[in-house]
């Protein structure tokens, strides 16, 4: 009888030990994710052309469309812990025409961002027209509807969710609950797991994780910010830059440019 009791104790110990180990391995809360962000440049500029305020602007954009590649892939890195997510642009060499578009803000110019999922604090840094812009605001509130569609991304099973952000922009995200951190790339968050895939049709880009590496990291807003920075809220950034770019671009194109910088 004693031997049977000892055997039962041993089996229970092994069971709970395996369960604890399995939970640790299955639910990582620290690591680094690499993404490829594909911006469909020609389609984006065609949208700009439809929004052009006059025929001269429309003709200039159409001329530009003939000079640019079909799409441009940007490299992104995300480090995450339980409550913090740091999203960074990985700088590379780009063609002169692509570099010019990025500097002018026609499409994103190396956006990096930070989210504190506990305090709901958000920071991002980007350049527009050669000016460094720093945002300090709260994390975005996104209306998500989880679906029953699944796909595998970077070796993780992911579930689809459809979202509405900035009141009217539709987004599709694929998240995995095997990484139980409610964050994602850029300013996206709010799902019961990490976002590994993202598509924003109106802004003509998608983003998919290519590699997930688990391990201790220390994401921090200090990585992005400088002492001389003068952060503004999203609304303050919108109002400030509107005076410089809104009249020049026209309000419809300007709104699209700002959506690209905020998302």
């Amino acid at each position: 009888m004693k031997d049977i009791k000892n055997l039962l104790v041993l089996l229970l110990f092994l069971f709970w030990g395996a369960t604890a180990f399995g939970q640790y391995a299955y639910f990582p809360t620290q690591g680094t994710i690499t993404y490829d962000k594909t911006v469909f440049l020609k389609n984006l500029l065609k949208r700009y052309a439809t929004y052009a305020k006059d025929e001269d602007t429309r003709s200039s954009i159409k001329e530009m469309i003939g000079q640019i590649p079909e799409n441009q892939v940007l490299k992104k890195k995300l480090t995450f812990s339980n409550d913090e997510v740091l999203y960074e642009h990985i700088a590379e060499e780009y063609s002169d025409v692509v570099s010019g578009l990025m500097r002018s803000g026609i499409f994103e110019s190396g956006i990096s961002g930070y989210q504190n999922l506990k305090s709901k604090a958000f920071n991002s840094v980007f350049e527009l027209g050669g000016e460094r812009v720093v945002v300090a605001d709260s994390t975005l509130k996104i209306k998500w509807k989880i679906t029953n569609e699944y796909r595998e991304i970077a070796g993780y099973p992911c579930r689809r969710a459809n979202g509405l952000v900035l009141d009217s922009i539709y987004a599709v995200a694929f998240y995995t609950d095997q990484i139980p951190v409610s964050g994602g790339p850029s300013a996206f968050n709010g799902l019961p797991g990490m976002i590994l895939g993202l598509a924003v049709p109106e802004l003509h880009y998608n983003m998919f994780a290519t590699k997930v590496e688990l391990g201790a990291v220390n994401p921090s807003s200090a990585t992005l910010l400088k002492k001389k920075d003068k952060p503004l809220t999203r609304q303050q950034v919108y109002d400030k830059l509107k005076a410089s770019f809104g009249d020049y671009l026209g309000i419809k194109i300007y709104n699209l440019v700002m959506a690209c910088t905020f998302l």
Side-chain angles (χ1 to χ4, degrees):
M1 181 66 72
K2 185 176 180 181
D3 290 340
I4 293 175
K5 286 183 178 179
N6 289 340
L7 180 60
L8 288 172
V9 170
L10 178 60
L11 289 173
L12 286 171
F13 175 79
L14 291 174
F15 172 78
W16 288 113
T19 302
F21 177 80
Q23 287 177 338
Y24 176 79
Y26 194 70
F27 297 118
T29 55
Q30 285 186 296
T32 302
I33 304 172
T34 305
Y35 295 85
D36 276 356
K37 178 177 180 179
T38 302
V39 183
F40 301 96
L41 285 181
K42 284 188 183 292
N43 288 339
L44 179 62
L45 263 69
K46 286 176 183 176
R47 182 178 289 270
Y48 283 140
T50 64
Y51 288 172
K53 64 178 183 177
D54 53 49
E55 192 55 42
D56 287 343
T57 303
R58 186 174 294 106
S59 296
S60 297
I61 294 173
K62 287 182 177 179
E63 182 178 346
M64 201 181 303
I65 290 172
Q67 303 172 11
I68 61 175
E70 194 74 32
N71 57 62
Q72 177 67 47
V73 177
L74 307 176
K75 300 292 184 181
K76 303 291 184 176
K77 181 179 77 171
L78 184 148
T79 51
F80 65 92
S81 63
N82 281 300
D83 300 315
E84 296 178 279
V85 175
L86 178 65
Y87 170 76
E88 298 176 272
H89 177 71
I90 301 174
E92 296 183 296
E93 291 293 328
Y94 307 108
S95 67
D96 290 342
V97 65
V98 168
S99 295
L101 290 176
M102 293 177 77
R103 284 194 300 271
S104 65
I106 294 300
F107 80 108
E108 73 125 305
S109 52
I111 299 169
S112 295
Y114 165 84
Q115 299 184 76
N116 188 308
L117 304 173
K118 186 174 183 180
S119 69
K120 307 299 182 184
F122 172 84
N123 295 102
S124 70
V125 177
F126 59 90
E127 289 191 5
L128 187 60
E131 180 179 357
R132 175 179 165 90
V133 181
V134 181
V135 177
D137 212 317
S138 57
T139 54
L140 286 175
K141 293 180 180 180
I142 305 171
K143 296 178 182 178
W144 292 111
K145 183 177 181 181
I146 296 172
T147 76
N148 290 320
E149 181 181 338
Y150 294 83
R151 66 181 296 178
E152 184 176 298
I153 300 173
Y156 286 82
C158 296
R159 189 171 185 175
R160 175 175 172 164
N162 301 325
L164 199 64
V165 60
L166 296 179
D167 295 328
S168 62
I169 295 179
Y170 174 72
V172 175
F174 288 89
Y175 72 93
T176 179
D177 58 9
Q178 291 188 14
I179 302 177
V181 177
S182 185
S186 190
F188 286 87
N189 65 83
L191 286 166
M194 179 62 68
I195 297 171
L196 296 184
L198 182 68
V200 187
E202 186 172 349
L203 304 183
H204 297 281
Y205 79 76
N206 61 38
M207 198 177 334
F208 290 97
T210 57
K211 182 168 62 173
V212 178
E213 299 172 287
L214 305 178
V217 293
N218 185 31
S220 168
S221 61
T223 304
L224 302 180
L225 305 180
K226 300 178 181 179
K227 289 184 178 180
K228 63 181 181 180
D229 284 335
K230 296 180 180 179
L232 303 171
T233 66
R234 292 184 187 90
Q235 187 62 53
Q236 288 172 329
V237 169
Y238 180 91
D239 293 341
K240 177 184 177 180
L241 296 179
K242 184 180 178 183
S244 303
F245 298 99
D247 290 341
Y248 171 71
L249 296 173
I251 193 62
K252 284 189 174 183
I253 294 180
Y254 177 71
N255 285 342
L256 197 62
V257 167
M258 295 311 299
C260 288
T261 59
F262 290 150
L263 300 176

